[in-house]
Amino acid sequence: MSEGNLDDLVAFLASRGKAVLPARTPSSGYRNRLSVRSCHSLEERLGVWLLTRTTRRVSPTDAGERLFATAGPRIDEINVELAMLNELRDRTAGAVRIRASDHALQSIFWPKLATFLSNYPDTKVELAIDYGLTDIFSERYDAGVRLGEQVAKDMIAVRIGPDFRFAAGRIRLFLDELCDPWPGYHLFYPSRRQASLAIALLVEELRYRE
């Protein structure tokens, strides 16, 4: 069904039992005309009368009653699902799936996850160990962790750890004189607009602060 057909159907379903009264404002008159035009368009496409109109009220024909009975509950179900999705967007709930190396999990995630999960008990964080440059989105993960220089330029990247070296003692002192340290771990994801509230809050929990 095209967008125009769906708009006309919704306008028809909204017309049930609606009184035909004079418009009190220009905007309400405009909306009334749009609704009437939509119902006429639907009737013309179907080739049947759906509404009987008087000067004070519209009422459904037999064909209109049938359409109300079949399409009405389905549109209601869609509206309920959309409302539930809208609530889910604003709730800190659901699962967040992240791929990271074992070192990143041990040094960064485990120390901070206990506090996060205590504050948001309806959120489930799934962690998978990954040592490669896996395409996390084809694997249906929400985010990944890599060293800063390994994060693709088109990703949103948030530093979650300091620069570091895989060395200690005299070797580390020697390396400090020869080369720069590794850029710290960054958590990356595709878009701020696509990120759920749970991901946004987890990012803030993990964000590195000097």
Side-chain angles (χ1 to χ4, degrees):
M1 177 179 288
S2 68
E3 182 177 351
N5 288 346
L6 183 59
D7 289 342
D8 293 343
L9 177 60
V10 171
F12 165 74
L13 295 173
S15 69
R16 184 163 197 168
K18 183 180 293 184
V20 181
L21 300 175
R24 297 182 182 275
T25 66
S27 60
S28 63
Y30 176 72
R31 288 193 298 270
N32 286 338
R33 288 193 297 273
L34 284 180
S35 179
V36 171
R37 188 178 302 123
S38 295
C39 292
H40 277 306
S41 297
L42 185 61
E43 288 175 327
E44 289 176 358
R45 278 196 294 273
L46 295 176
V48 294
W49 291 107
L50 299 173
L51 297 172
T52 299
R53 300 165 177 85
T54 68
T55 57
R56 295 189 60 81
R57 186 169 295 277
V58 294
S59 58
T61 63
D62 289 343
E65 284 285 4
R66 180 175 177 178
L67 187 56
F68 276 125
T70 55
R74 290 173 172 81
I75 295 296
D76 290 341
E77 290 175 3
I78 292 173
N79 286 331
V80 169
E81 284 296 323
L82 291 176
M84 292 176 64
L85 289 174
N86 193 52
E87 291 180 2
L88 183 61
R89 179 197 63 190
D90 297 327
R91 287 176 55 209
T92 311
V96 178
R97 307 182 71 221
I98 299 174
R99 295 184 75 97
S101 69
D102 183 59
H103 182 265
L105 296 182
Q106 296 292 340
S107 62
I108 296 174
F109 278 82
W110 297 133
K112 294 185 176 181
L113 273 183
T115 299
F116 177 81
L117 295 176
S118 175
N119 291 335
Y120 307 104
D122 292 333
T123 300
K124 179 180 179 182
V125 179
E126 300 179 11
L127 301 172
I129 296 176
D130 177 25
Y131 290 101
L133 300 179
T134 304
D135 181 356
I136 62 171
F137 308 110
S138 65
E139 299 293 330
R140 302 181 66 83
Y141 280 82
D142 299 296
V145 175
R146 293 177 186 167
L147 296 176
E149 64 184 12
Q150 297 176 325
V151 177
K153 300 300 183 183
D154 59 342
M155 296 292 172
I156 305 298
V158 177
R159 178 185 281 270
I160 60 174
D163 294 345
F164 63 90
R165 297 187 188 280
F166 289 107
R170 292 183 178 181
I171 295 178
R172 177 163 184 169
L173 293 175
F174 177 72
L175 290 175
D176 285 343
E177 296 178 358
L178 293 181
C179 57
D180 295 329
W182 292 93
Y185 286 120
H186 287 64
L187 184 134
F188 66 95
Y189 52 99
S191 170
R192 288 189 176 90
R193 294 184 61 185
Q194 295 177 5
S196 68
L197 180 59
I199 293 177
L201 292 171
L202 181 58
V203 167
E204 286 306 308
E205 182 69 31
L206 296 173
R207 185 185 297 275
Y208 176 67
R209 296 172 175 85
E210 296 182 5

